[in-house]
Amino acid sequence: MPERRTVALVTLGCARNEVDSEELAGRLEADGWQLVDDAADADVAVVNTCGFVEAAKKDSVDALLEANDLKGHGRTQAVVAVGCMAERYGKELAEALPEADGVLGFDDYTDISDRLQTILSGGIHASHTPRDRRKLLPISPAERQESAASVALPGHAPADLPEGVAPASGPRAPLRRRLDGSPVASVKVASGCDRRCSFCAIPSFRGSFISRRPSDILNETRWLAEQGVKEIMLVSENNTSYGKDLGDIRLLESLLPELADVDGIERVRVSYLQPAEMRPGLIDVLTSTPKVAPYFDLSFQHSAPNVLRAMRRFGDTDRFLELLDTIRSKAPEAGVRSNFIVGFPGETESDLAELERFLNGARLDAIGVFGYSDEEGTEAATYDTKLDEDVVAERLAHISRLAEELVSQRAEERVGETVRVLVESVDEEEGVYGRAAHQAPETDGQVLLTSGEGLTVGRMVEAKVVGTEGVDLVAEPLAGSLACSEEAGR
C-alpha cells in the first residue's frame, strides 16, 4: 500500500482565513491526504497568505520562505501559496517568489487535491492572472444568489454533503476539518464587501458581498458543537450587511437566537460590524439574547468628519458616541473594540485632536491603531495630500500610547464585575486563562483565573474581577460556579 500523501496548512491573517484553511483541510482529507501539524513533516506545505497591508504581506512572504528552507532537509518537497495574497497577485507573486512551487487562487480551491498532486509530481500549474472579483457577480445584491454556484467562494462549501465525503459526523458535516482543539471556532456568514472605502483593496480580490444560507450556517454550527466547540464567532467582511442579498437585511437578528439555541454552544459572538449600518433591532438582539455576547466589533477607523469623508465612510465623533451610549444603556457591561488609521492623507492636527476626543469619551475595551500606508489599487493611493512618513510615525506612536492607557483604564473599570469566562488553557506553571464575553480571541485580552481547581479547557465559569494587568483581567472563580463546572465534567 503506498504511503499516504501528507500536507500541512500554515495560516496567516484573519479569522476568515482560518475558516478557509479548514475548508481546504476538509477537501484534502476527503481525497486521502493526511493532515499534519508541522510543515517539516509534510510532503507539501500550503501557506494561506494574507494580502491586506504591507506588514501582513511581508509576514506571508516570510512564511513561504521559511517553509521553502525545509526542502532538502526533511520530508517537505513542495511549498504552495494560497489565500488573499496569492489571489491578489497571482502570476506576479509567482515570478517574484520562485521559491513557491505553486501560487493558487480561489478558483483552484475546489480542485486543491489535484493541484497539489500535480505540483508534488513535478508538474506546473500556471498561476492565474488576477481580476477584479467584484465583476463576477451581478451588481444587484438580489440577483447574486442565482450566480453564486458559478463563483469560487472560500468558506461557503455546502453543509449537507453525502455521508463519507466530509469528516464523520453524519449528513450535517460540512466540508471542513478542524485544525486545532480550541473550544472556539469561526463561522463564515458571508464573503466580499460592497463598501468602497478609499484605503481598502479587499473587495477587489474578495469580490462583492454575498451571504451564506442560514441553514448552512446552522448546520455548520451544529457540527462544530459536536466537535466540542463552545463558542462560535461569526465572521465576514461586513456582518451588518448579512441577508441583504437574501431579501432580508434583518436576517441576522433572527439567525442569532437560533444559533444560540444549538445544543452545546455556550456563546455566540459577532465580529466586523459597520457603525453606519447598525440598526436598533440588531443592537437589541446583541444586548438581550441569552448566550449571544454583548460584543461590538465596530469599524470606526477615525472620527473626524473630514477624514471619514476622504475614507468614503460616514459618521463623526458625536454620532459614534451616541451609538455607544445607546449600546451601554441596554447592556452596561457590553464590550466594544475598534481599529483606527492615523496619518491618513489630509489629516490635520485638529482632525487628530478630534480622534483623541472620541477615544477619551468612548471607553473602548480594545483599540488597534495603524499608521496609514498606500495600498496599490486603492483610491487613497492616488491622493496628493499625503503626510510625511515621520509625521505618520509620530502620530501613530502618540495615539498608540493613548490607546494603551485608555484600554488599561477601561479594564480597571471592570474590577468588581462578575464575568462569564470560557477556559481556553490550563497549565500548572502558567495558570488558567480564558476570555470573558467582551474579549474576542487573540485581539482583546484575556482573563487569568486565580484558581483552576476542577477546570478544563472548554468550561464556562463565573468569576469576579479582582485585578488587572494592562488590558487583561484577573478574576476569582465563584465557588458555586466551580462546583457546577466539576459536576458538568463528570
Side-chain angles (χ1 to χ4, degrees), residues 371-392:
Y372 173 81
S373 62
D374 284 341
E375 268 300 305
E376 58 187 291
T378 63
E379 180 185 352
T382 68
Y383 290 173
D384 58 8
T385 53
K386 297 189 181 72
L387 306 182
D388 290 340
E389 289 185 7
D390 58 345
V391 173
V392 175

Side-chain angles (χ1 to χ4, degrees), residues 326-408:
T326 298
I327 290 169
R328 289 176 174 136
S329 70
K330 298 175 181 296
E333 77 287 359
V336 186
R337 81 165 324 275
S338 192
N339 292 326
F340 299 89
I341 299 173
V342 296
F344 195 79
E347 182 190 63
T348 65
E349 290 286 353
S350 61
D351 291 330
L352 194 68
E354 186 68 1
L355 175 57
E356 289 186 54
R357 182 169 80 89
F358 172 69
L359 291 174
N360 279 298
R363 295 169 55 231
L364 302 178
D365 291 277
I367 301 172
V369 186
F370 302 89
Y372 173 81
S373 62
D374 284 341
E375 268 300 305
E376 58 187 291
T378 63
E379 180 185 352
T382 68
Y383 290 173
D384 58 8
T385 53
K386 297 189 181 72
L387 306 182
D388 290 340
E389 289 185 7
D390 58 345
V391 173
V392 175
E394 181 182 344
R395 293 183 180 183
L396 173 61
H398 172 64
I399 297 298
S400 295
R401 287 193 298 270
L402 175 62
E404 184 175 355
E405 178 183 342
L406 291 173
V407 296
S408 295

Side-chain angles (χ1 to χ4, degrees), residues 16 106 133-134 137 144 152-154 156 188-196 202-211 235-239 241-242 244 272 274:
R16 300 184 294 274
F106 297 152
R133 297 191 71 86
R134 288 172 293 193
L137 291 169
R144 290 176 188 167
L153 298 169
H156 285 234
K188 189 174 285 192
V189 300
S191 287
C193 185
D194 289 339
R195 300 183 71 87
R196 294 296 179 262
I202 288 177
S204 66
F205 57 85
R206 276 290 184 178
S208 298
F209 186 90
I210 185 163
S211 305
V235 299
S236 73
E237 277 74 20
N238 177 10
N239 281 332
S241 284
Y242 178 71
K244 72 175 186 178
Y272 305 115
Q274 288 292 339

Side-chain angles (χ1 to χ4, degrees), residues 47 49 57-69 71 79-82 85-86 89-103 127:
V47 180
T49 60
K57 287 183 274 190
K58 181 182 182 302
D59 288 343
S60 296
V61 170
D62 288 346
L64 287 163
L65 294 175
E66 183 178 342
N68 181 70
D69 288 342
K71 291 191 292 188
V79 176
V80 175
V82 299
M85 189 176 180
Y89 295 103
K91 288 182 177 180
E92 182 182 344
L93 177 61
E95 293 169 0
L97 196 70
E99 291 85 354
D101 299 285
V103 175
S127 301

Side-chain angles (χ1 to χ4, degrees), residues 178 201 257 265 295 310 314 359 384 452 488:
R178 298 298 316 282
I265 296 299
Y295 175 80
F314 306 94
L359 291 174
D384 58 8

Side-chain angles (χ1 to χ4, degrees), residues 403-423:
E404 184 175 355
E405 178 183 342
L406 291 173
V407 296
S408 295
Q409 291 176 3
R410 178 64 181 129
E412 290 170 2
E413 291 178 13
R414 292 192 179 274
V415 173
E417 283 187 11
T418 296
V419 292
R420 195 161 181 254
V421 180
L422 174 63
V423 177

